[in-house]
């Protein structure tokens, strides 16, 4: 009787060890690691999104006439925060594509917003703007690191679904486990945004240019309305 009990106890101890040794726990362990890495990606993107409203308001104070860019950034942020990929949709290619596209679009217009500083010296030297710019750069770095870490964790998990001995469990006990989608930025998102400051904000064709005494161009202070165009002299 005692020997029988000891045998059963030994079996109960040996079985979990045997399962662990043959990779039974590998798939769920790697899956949880990949999900945790994805949570870091979302946190990094959210950090960037949280900084944007203050950045927009700061730029608006110095360059209110750049309404198009300010509006685009605000709208792109709203779209990016409306699209999410949670643990249950990490295996959905369409969901990951929508998420990546929304974030890439925000990255593009955000780059244009940051480049406006080159046109407004007062904005470029504003301490609040510089602090926000630095914080966004740090957020972008966190995003890159988090995406890299997630992709590595997802590849590791995906590999465990196809390689021996864990593939045995992937076909049996963990048959519901599916490969996770990798996060890839579009080609356009990896190209630095360009803004032609010679045309952005330029008057429409055919509009008279204001001139200063002596024939030179009248100065325009950033953030202020341009002076009215000169009126034709009355006929004699």
């Amino acid at each position: 009787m005692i020997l029988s009990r000891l045998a059963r106890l030994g079996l109960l101890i040996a079985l979990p060890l045997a399962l662990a040794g043959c990779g039974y726990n590998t798939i769920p362990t790697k899956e949880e690691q990949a999900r945790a890495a994805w949570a870091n990606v979302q946190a990094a993107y959210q950090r960037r999104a949280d900084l944007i409203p203050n950045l927009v308001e700061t730029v608006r104070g110095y360059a209110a006439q750049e309404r198009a860019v300010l509006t685009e950034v605000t709208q792109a942020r709203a779209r990016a925060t409306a699209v999410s990929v949670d643990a249950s949709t990490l295996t959905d290619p369409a969901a990951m594509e929508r998420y990546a596209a929304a974030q890439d679009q925000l990255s593009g217009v955000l780059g244009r917003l940051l480049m406006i500083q080159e046109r407004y010296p007062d904005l470029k030297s504003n301490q609040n703007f510089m602090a926000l710019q630095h914080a966004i750069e740090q957020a972008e770095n966190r995003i890159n690191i988090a995406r890299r870490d997630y992709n590595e964790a997802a590849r590791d998990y995906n590999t465990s679904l196809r390689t021996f001995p864990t593939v045995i469990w992937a076909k049996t006990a963990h048959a519901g486990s599916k490969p996770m989608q990798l996060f890839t930025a579009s080609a356009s998102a990896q190209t630095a945004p360009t803004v032609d400051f010679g045309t952005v904000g330029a008057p429409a064709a055919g509009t008279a240019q204001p001139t200063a005494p002596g024939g030179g161009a009248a100065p325009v202070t950033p953030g202020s309305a341009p002076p009215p165009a000169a009126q034709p002299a009355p006929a004699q």
Side-chain angles (χ1 to χ4, degrees), residues 35-59:
R35 288 181 176 180
W38 178 251
N40 291 337
V41 173
Q42 290 184 303
Y45 272 120
Q46 186 60 50
R47 168 61 178 162
R48 182 180 70 171
D50 291 343
L51 293 167
I52 290 174
N54 285 339
L55 179 67
V56 168
E57 289 307 311
T58 300
V59 173

Side-chain angles (χ1 to χ4, degrees), residues 163-187:
T163 54
F164 183 84
T166 48
V167 67
I168 298 173
W169 301 112
K171 300 294 185 182
T172 54
H174 303 305
S177 298
K178 297 179 181 179
M180 291 184 180
Q181 299 300 309
L182 301 184
F183 194 105
T184 56
S186 66

Side-chain angles (χ1 to χ4, degrees), residues 45 48 52 72-73 75-85 94-110 147 183-184 186 189:
Y45 272 120
R48 182 180 70 171
I52 290 174
E72 283 184 53
V73 171
Q75 292 176 342
R77 178 188 181 276
R79 286 190 291 269
T81 53
V83 179
S84 64
V85 175
M96 183 66 82
E97 185 176 352
R98 287 192 298 269
Y99 185 85
Q103 297 296 343
D104 288 349
Q105 184 181 38
L106 178 55
S107 295
V109 294
L110 181 57
R147 290 196 326 191
F183 194 105
T184 56
S186 66

Side-chain angles (χ1 to χ4, degrees), residues 65-82:
Q65 61 268 39
E66 305 290 349
R67 295 193 245 353
V69 177
L70 294 170
T71 300
E72 283 184 53
V73 171
T74 302
Q75 292 176 342
R77 178 188 181 276
R79 286 190 291 269
T81 53

Side-chain angles (χ1 to χ4, degrees), residues 11-180:
L11 182 60
L12 290 174
I13 295 174
L15 183 58
L17 294 175
L19 291 174
C22 66
Y24 177 81
N25 292 325
T26 300
I27 291 175
T29 298
K30 293 182 182 296
E31 184 177 25
E32 288 304 316
Q33 290 171 344
R35 288 181 176 180
W38 178 251
N40 291 337
V41 173
Q42 290 184 303
Y45 272 120
Q46 186 60 50
R47 168 61 178 162
R48 182 180 70 171
D50 291 343
L51 293 167
I52 290 174
N54 285 339
L55 179 67
V56 168
E57 289 307 311
T58 300
V59 173
R60 196 191 307 277
Y62 288 82
Q65 61 268 39
E66 305 290 349
R67 295 193 245 353
V69 177
L70 294 170
T71 300
E72 283 184 53
V73 171
T74 302
Q75 292 176 342
R77 178 188 181 276
R79 286 190 291 269
T81 53
V83 179
S84 64
V85 175
D86 57 24
S88 64
T89 53
L90 276 174
T91 59
D92 184 352
M96 183 66 82
E97 185 176 352
R98 287 192 298 269
Y99 185 85
Q103 297 296 343
D104 288 349
Q105 184 181 38
L106 178 55
S107 295
V109 294
L110 181 57
R112 290 174 56 199
L113 179 63
L114 290 171
M115 290 179 69
I116 285 177
Q117 65 173 304
E118 299 300 330
R119 200 174 168 196
Y120 300 91
D122 290 344
L123 173 62
K124 193 173 183 178
S125 62
N126 178 268
Q127 292 300 315
N128 189 38
F129 176 83
M130 298 303 292
L132 286 167
Q133 183 184 42
H134 180 64
I136 286 177
E137 289 172 354
Q138 290 181 320
E140 295 285 358
N141 288 335
R142 291 192 190 99
I143 287 170
N144 291 333
I145 293 171
R147 290 196 326 191
R148 181 199 64 196
D149 291 346
Y150 163 74
N151 280 344
E152 290 177 356
R155 285 193 187 97
D156 191 29
Y157 163 71
N158 293 343
T159 300
S160 70
L161 298 179
R162 304 193 314 269
T163 54
F164 183 84
T166 48
V167 67
I168 298 173
W169 301 112
K171 300 294 185 182
T172 54
H174 303 305
S177 298
K178 297 179 181 179
M180 291 184 180

